[in-house]
Amino acid sequence: MDYFIGSMAAAALALFCAVASLAVNRIMRPGGTKEDDPADVLFHSAARLKNLPDSEDIYKAISEEMHKLCGNSHIVMVNSFDKKYDLLTIKAISGIGSLVQRGTQLIGDDYLRMSFKVGDEENKYLTGGQLRPVEEGLYRIAMGKIPKELCEDVEQFLKIKKVYVIGLYDRGVIFGNVIIIPVFGNDIKDKKAVEKAAALFASVLFERSGK
């Protein structure tokens, strides 16, 4: 357990250092590319996911598609859910490509195997199909495994005002959740589109599960 907590703290610290390094070198900039119409993004996302080969990671694809919908000034993390053990496991992270790529280089891919025990407080974020702001932001997302002071430092540095989460839930089955972190003082512009996307992604996961 100590090793697990230490790994989380080390990962967060490495990510913070990566952000600082990128900012100093002006690799990261506010804003992003021209925004696409949400309806067009959803259409293409649906086509991609429904035709995704079994050999490709669907959680990674969901992360990439949600990031396209939200835009470059957002970080998107997708977790899978293990009902037997009530565990959320990080499956993919997308957003501000240079940041995620640099962070991965520093901390490796171990973060993709990090798991979090889900309690009653977290369960409310997994069902209902609503995009919800997360109280205590990054600290809550990390289930308290990363020091609160470090989470607040990252939030201040990246100008994170809110952190959002929405469950991947379809026909009574929980498949995971999507965490969206707007940075540089931005916010999600079309929350309804995000909710539609999450419902779409959950439906595809249900169909692929064969339930």
Side-chain angles (χ1 to χ4, degrees):
M1 181 60 71
D2 290 341
Y3 171 77
F4 175 78
I5 295 173
S7 297
M8 285 295 297
L13 184 58
L15 185 59
F16 180 76
C17 291
V19 173
S21 174
L22 289 167
V24 169
N25 288 285
R26 297 183 181 180
I27 297 175
M28 258 182 358
R29 297 180 185 274
T33 58
K34 182 180 178 180
E35 294 181 4
D36 295 318
D37 181 82
D40 289 339
V41 176
L42 286 173
F43 176 80
H44 290 292
S45 294
R48 179 190 176 190
L49 291 177
K50 289 180 178 179
N51 295 291
L52 193 73
D54 291 339
S55 58
E56 292 191 31
D57 186 344
I58 189 167
Y59 286 98
K60 183 174 184 292
I62 288 172
S63 176
E64 292 169 348
E65 294 303 315
M66 186 64 88
H67 179 251
K68 288 179 186 176
L69 180 64
C70 293
N72 282 349
S73 56
H74 298 71
I75 296 171
V76 176
M77 181 167 69
V78 178
N79 300 314
S80 65
F81 179 68
D82 186 325
K83 182 179 179 181
K84 182 178 180 180
Y85 298 103
D86 283 336
L87 285 178
L88 283 170
T89 300
I90 301 174
K91 301 294 288 186
I93 300 178
S94 298
I96 313 182
S98 299
L99 165 61
V100 174
Q101 183 179 29
R102 178 62 173 161
T104 301
Q105 290 173 350
L106 287 173
I107 66 179
D109 292 327
D110 287 346
Y111 69 87
L112 291 179
R113 292 191 290 270
M114 291 179 181
S115 296
F116 307 87
K117 186 74 173 177
V118 176
D120 293 338
E121 179 66 22
E122 288 75 34
N123 265 321
K124 69 181 182 182
Y125 295 114
L126 296 176
T127 59
Q130 293 180 322
L131 184 69
R132 299 171 181 265
V134 181
E135 296 179 9
E136 296 186 286
L138 295 181
Y139 182 68
R140 170 61 66 180
I141 291 299
M143 307 290 188
K145 302 298 184 183
I146 300 174
K148 191 171 185 178
E149 295 78 9
L150 182 56
C151 291
E152 290 173 347
D153 285 344
V154 174
E155 288 175 341
Q156 183 177 9
F157 186 85
L158 287 178
K159 298 180 182 178
I160 297 171
K161 294 181 178 179
K162 290 184 179 179
V163 175
Y164 294 90
V165 64
I166 186 168
L168 295 172
Y169 177 81
D170 187 69
R171 282 162 273 189
V173 181
I174 300 170
F175 294 97
N177 66 5
V178 178
I179 296 166
I180 303 173
I181 308 171
V183 295
F184 305 125
N186 287 283
D187 199 0
I188 298 173
K189 292 184 177 180
D190 194 335
K191 296 180 174 63
K192 290 297 182 183
V194 169
E195 292 177 349
K196 289 180 181 179
L200 166 67
F201 300 155
S203 177
V204 172
L205 286 167
F206 186 92
E207 292 171 4
R208 288 172 67 101
S209 71
K211 295 184 182 295

